[in-house]
Amino acid sequence: MGGGRAVLLLAVALFVVQGGEASHRLYRSFTLENGMRVLLVSDKFTSRAAASIDVGVGSWSDPETIPGLAHFLEHMLFLGTKKYPQEGEYRRFLSGHSGLQNAYTIYENTTFYFAVSPAYIQGALDRFAQFFISPTLAKSASQREMKAVDSEFRKRINSDFLRSRQILMAMANPAHPYHRFTTGTIDTLNISGIHSSLVEFHEKYYSANLMTLVVLGRNSLDDLQQLVVNSFSAVPNKRIARPTFNTPQAFPVPAFTGIKVLMEPLGVENTVYLYWPLPSLDQYHRENPIYYFSWLLGHEGSGSVLSALKRRQWATFLYAGSGLQTTSLWLMQIRLYLTGKGLDHLNDVISLVFQYIRYILKEGVQER
């Protein structure tokens, strides 16, 4: 690629890493002049090029009077842009070149991604970038996309796991956004002024300095960087701070400890969910303590808590791991599938789990 010096003027924190599990891959990280962070992956053997962009805002930033607005905006961004105004053009381009695309909205993030035949990465990136530069947010399609959001909610409404999670959210501190309903329905979105609120949300939060882009392709790192510079430098930087939700606590201690809730399931499984609210553990991402405890608690071999439960014919399955990770709240979760006998011994099952946890704490961290 020519003009390398000019590209460097647009970037900071530039480096290349070789090695790792896929030793033929090359990596480069840099920041565009508009504040967007970028990671490039060059893989001359990849069967598909791909890209993903994360926007550091999600459903917790919904106005309290419009649950689901962030999710609704995610849907509306697919409807066309000023540069590519025809509705569905992005989807048609990708599907016409062995591609796929999707997006999802969670509490503090909205993520968009695509994959495409490697030869068409340039056209895909340019269309993708326009989501964040000049979307049309076509008002004429609002009703249809509201129904699509509503349909997503209705399809999952009978999930026992999501029903249990909704109970947990209802128990949370009403002053914390975890307490809110965030998916959105036709009832929460089909209101007066919704399109103006949608545009306002996009103009406020969809800022380059809150975005992180990852691009994978067969191209060299220099060529990938030039493609990104050409397509994404025009994303506006509104220089806004990422929304934070550190106070108040979602589950303040001791008010939210030792609580047991019974829920009648719609399915046939007898399930126990155990949750431990934790502060954010992001600062310990290298040590990853959640993974350490999850591995010990989820171990299925001799001496494990699951083997003890199976021996008593109380449980058939145990999952341990992170149930939620945000900047202000993490949830450590254990999920157990109980037999009928296990349900009759519910308190004994819980007691056995806590005995195992106390044993882990007593033994301390083991380095091997």
Side-chain angles (χ1 to χ4, degrees), residues 75-366:
H75 279 246
M76 292 291 289
L77 285 173
F78 284 85
L79 299 181
T81 64
K82 290 180 181 178
K83 186 172 182 179
Y84 302 99
Q86 189 172 5
E87 186 176 329
E89 202 277 341
Y90 170 71
R91 288 186 175 95
R92 284 192 295 274
F93 180 87
L94 292 174
S95 62
H97 301 297
S98 305
L100 57 85
Q101 47 72 39
N102 213 331
Y104 59 88
T105 303
I106 53 178
Y107 297 126
E108 296 177 289
N109 304 82
T110 307
T111 302
F112 304 82
Y113 59 92
F114 72 81
V116 72
S117 178
Y120 296 93
I121 182 67
Q122 180 175 355
L125 282 175
D126 194 56
R127 287 164 174 79
F128 191 45
Q130 297 305 310
F131 281 29
F132 314 101
I133 298 172
S134 58
T136 59
L137 302 176
K139 191 173 184 178
S140 59
S142 293
Q143 284 290 324
R144 187 185 69 222
E145 294 308 314
M146 287 179 197
K147 291 177 182 177
V149 169
D150 188 78
S151 176
E152 289 184 17
F153 170 70
R154 302 293 170 191
K155 283 191 295 186
R156 304 188 303 165
I157 199 169
N158 290 328
S159 163
D160 281 330
F161 171 73
L162 293 178
R163 291 173 69 229
S164 70
R165 181 58 63 89
Q166 194 63 45
I167 290 173
L168 188 66
M169 293 166 64
M171 293 169 59
N173 185 344
H176 192 279
Y178 187 64
H179 180 75
R180 302 179 201 160
F181 174 70
T182 56
T183 304
T185 67
I186 195 74
D187 296 321
T188 67
L189 297 172
N190 191 21
I191 59 174
S192 175
I194 184 63
H195 191 262
S196 296
S197 297
L198 186 78
V199 172
E200 181 181 342
F201 191 94
H202 184 273
E203 290 181 349
K204 179 179 180 180
Y205 290 116
Y206 272 57
S207 176
N209 71 303
L210 297 187
M211 298 180 184
T212 302
L213 170 68
V214 180
V215 179
L216 163 70
R218 287 182 183 173
N219 314 56
S220 69
L221 288 173
D222 285 345
D223 287 347
L224 288 174
Q225 182 164 336
Q226 191 64 65
L227 291 176
V228 168
V229 169
N230 291 345
S231 293
F232 289 89
S233 292
V235 178
N237 182 3
K238 293 140 188 184
R239 293 176 172 81
I240 65 169
R242 180 169 179 166
T244 57
F245 308 93
N246 295 323
T247 56
Q249 290 181 314
F251 297 98
V253 176
F256 290 88
T257 55
I259 299 174
K260 182 167 70 174
V261 177
L262 301 179
M263 180 189 85
E264 184 173 346
L266 298 176
V268 297
E269 291 174 331
N270 301 314
T271 309
V272 175
Y273 301 94
L274 300 174
Y275 292 101
W276 288 265
L278 304 170
S280 172
L281 300 178
D282 284 344
Q283 61 181 313
Y284 303 112
H285 67 277
R286 294 187 184 277
E287 293 84 2
N288 203 353
I290 283 280
Y291 177 80
Y292 180 84
F293 277 96
S294 300
W295 190 88
L296 291 174
L297 291 166
H299 179 55
E300 299 181 4
S302 177
S304 68
V305 65
L306 181 59
S307 66
L309 292 169
K310 283 184 172 181
R311 190 166 59 249
R312 294 166 173 79
Q313 299 180 343
W314 289 351
T316 60
F317 171 85
L318 183 152
Y319 165 82
S322 174
L324 176 69
Q325 294 184 14
T326 73
T327 58
S328 65
L329 171 66
W330 284 38
L331 289 175
M332 176 67 187
Q333 169 191 301
I334 294 178
R335 183 168 77 248
L336 290 155
Y337 292 165
L338 302 186
T339 63
K341 186 177 179 180
L343 189 62
D344 292 337
H345 289 270
L346 176 59
N347 289 336
D348 295 323
V349 169
I350 296 172
S351 178
L352 191 61
V353 171
F354 275 89
Q355 287 179 38
Y356 192 76
I357 292 172
R358 284 194 292 270
Y359 172 74
I360 293 173
L361 296 175
K362 179 182 177 182
E363 293 297 310
V365 176
Q366 305 293 310

Side-chain angles (χ1 to χ4, degrees), residues 10-23:
L10 290 167
V12 296
L14 179 67
F15 63 91
V16 178
V17 180
Q18 280 185 274
E21 293 181 3
S23 59

